Amino acid sequence: MATPSNDKAPWQQADPPADEQRREEPVWTGLLPAVVPAETSRDGDRDAAHAGAPDGEGDDGRAGERRGAGQRGATGRTGGGSRAVGADEAAGEEDPDEEARRRAALRRDALADEPRLPRLQQVFLVLVLPLALLAAAVRVVATPLFLWAEYHRPGFPADSYGFSTEERMVFGSYGLDYVMNWAPPGFLGGLRGADGAQLFLGSEVAHMTDVKIVLQSALAVVAVLALLGIVSCLYLRAKAPGAASGALFFGSWLTVALLVALAVAAVLGWQQFFTLFHSLFFADGSWTFRASDTLIRLYPTQFWIDAAIAVAGLALLGALAVMTATWPTAFRRHRALERVRRRQELKRRLAGR
């Protein structure tokens, strides 16, 4: 009677496919799946087997044990095709248990390698990037260079009360310098015009002081957050290659979405947008002035529209640059996986495995 195909002896069964022998276990790397090199882990298992066996009994000794187990299974078969009790016991002592132990050890190594609070760090990077790009753009715009470009560009409205372009440049630079330094209110309050009259009223100086406090406080907070973001990037780069770049990639998309939303709100109603923005940071009535006041003559509505466009454009360029630098290409993915392999190989060598 022919023996069924599923009752073949162990030495008659085909070897497992090569791709199954080289299967690799996933480990945590944030937004990128990484792998543990299968060759190294299996070489470690074979070395451990060689270390426990006498000289000359490596893989050959194991093969002999398998052949012996197969022969015992064959001799234990009865005439009617049924197995003996010893054959089942020999089958239960094969490689599946060893494979399960190996997979469990790899899982423990992966859990031990997982950084603390990685998802929170990634979310932090996603949220900090738009703030950092906007703050950098605001700081670039708040310079005399942008002021000069505005006053000298074609189509910029002239002062109907008599300020020339040169006078606007001088007095406007004083206003920008005041909001970016820690000079006392007299820095603006002491300025005099050609007729000897005080240029900035007390209410104007008070508003510029409020602008100074809000702007410098915001820039300082964002600078601290950006520094923490850099630390998070370095930590994730060491512990989870690819996680930091993935977070920055999503953060750049968030920046673009935020800029689009703000642009739509500004286009649909600039006056409402301007009023809402000022009401969030300043007390009612402290930021409204007459058309003849110096602040309005130096910084008319068109100046703020152009400044908003410049800030949005610079932030958009920064977001596109970050997006390009962190785009998940095959090369960057391979480089991240190589860092994972090198780190894990170093850990195994340091552990003496």
Side-chain angles (χ1 to χ4, degrees):
M1 182 174 178
T3 304
S5 59
N6 57 354
D7 288 335
K8 289 182 179 181
W11 67 86
Q12 294 175 330
Q13 296 178 0
D15 293 331
D19 57 346
E20 293 183 4
Q21 292 179 357
R22 298 179 59 86
R23 185 179 304 164
E24 298 177 334
E25 293 294 330
V27 297
W28 190 92
T29 58
L31 298 178
L32 286 177
V35 291
V36 177
E39 288 184 357
T40 307
S41 60
R42 288 190 176 274
D43 289 344
D45 294 340
R46 285 197 294 268
D47 293 342
H50 281 283
D55 293 339
E57 293 184 18
D59 295 336
D60 297 336
R62 186 178 297 176
E65 292 176 3
R66 286 199 296 267
R67 287 195 297 270
Q71 293 174 358
R72 288 194 298 271
T75 54
R77 186 182 302 277
T78 59
S82 61
R83 289 179 175 271
V85 176
D88 295 334
E89 295 176 357
E93 296 177 358
E94 291 181 351
D95 288 340
D97 290 340
E98 181 181 354
E99 181 70 12
R101 288 192 296 270
R102 188 183 69 84
R103 290 177 180 272
L106 289 175
R107 282 193 295 270
R108 287 193 299 270
D109 292 342
L111 291 176
D113 191 49
E114 181 177 351
R116 295 172 296 178
L117 303 177
R119 294 300 179 188
L120 290 180
Q121 287 179 313
Q122 288 181 305
V123 172
F124 175 75
L125 289 176
V126 171
L127 298 178
V128 163
L129 182 62
L131 298 177
L133 292 177
L134 287 173
V138 168
R139 186 62 188 90
V140 171
V141 169
T143 56
L145 178 61
F146 176 78
L147 197 65
W148 182 92
E150 275 294 284
Y151 289 153
H152 290 83
R153 78 168 181 84
F156 190 79
D159 177 32
S160 59
Y161 292 92
F163 277 160
S164 64
T165 302
E166 290 73 15
E167 289 177 324
R168 272 182 156 183
M169 189 66 202
V170 172
F171 300 143
S173 298
Y174 268 98
L176 286 181
D177 290 341
Y178 179 68
V179 298
M180 296 308 301
N181 61 31
W182 290 105
F187 185 86
L188 284 183
L191 290 178
R192 303 286 175 174
D195 56 356
Q198 185 178 357
L199 282 176
F200 293 93
L201 301 176
S203 58
E204 294 176 293
V205 175
H207 176 63
M208 294 296 279
T209 303
D210 294 339
V211 172
K212 174 205 293 279
I213 294 173
V214 171
L215 181 59
Q216 295 205 25
S217 299
L219 292 178
V221 170
V222 174
V224 173
L225 293 178
L227 181 60
L228 293 177
I230 294 174
V231 174
S232 296
C233 285
L234 296 176
Y235 180 78
L236 288 176
R237 179 180 174 85
K239 287 294 184 178
S245 60
L248 294 176
F249 180 73
F250 285 114
S252 62
W253 278 109
L254 178 62
T255 304
V256 173
L258 180 62
L259 291 175
V260 170
L262 293 176
V264 170
V267 169
L268 293 180
W270 168 258
Q271 193 61 41
Q272 292 79 4
F273 177 79
F274 191 77
T275 301
L276 177 61
F277 176 81
H278 278 73
S279 63
L280 291 176
F281 300 101
F282 309 109
D284 294 339
S286 65
W287 53 272
T288 54
F289 304 96
R290 297 169 300 180
S292 59
D293 290 338
T294 302
L295 283 181
I296 303 301
R297 295 168 63 185
L298 294 177
Y299 315 113
T301 301
Q302 189 60 48
F303 174 85
W304 296 112
I305 294 176
D306 295 344
I309 293 174
V311 169
L314 291 173
L316 179 62
L317 290 177
L320 293 179
V322 174
M323 189 183 301
T324 302
T326 58
W327 195 280
T329 61
F331 171 74
R332 294 192 179 103
R333 188 184 185 90
H334 175 73
R335 186 173 58 183
L337 297 180
E338 284 299 321
R339 288 201 300 269
V340 173
R341 292 189 178 98
R342 288 195 298 267
R343 189 182 72 247
Q344 292 176 344
E345 179 65 22
L346 179 59
K347 289 176 63 176
R348 279 191 290 268
R349 290 179 180 178
L350 293 176
R353 291 189 290 174

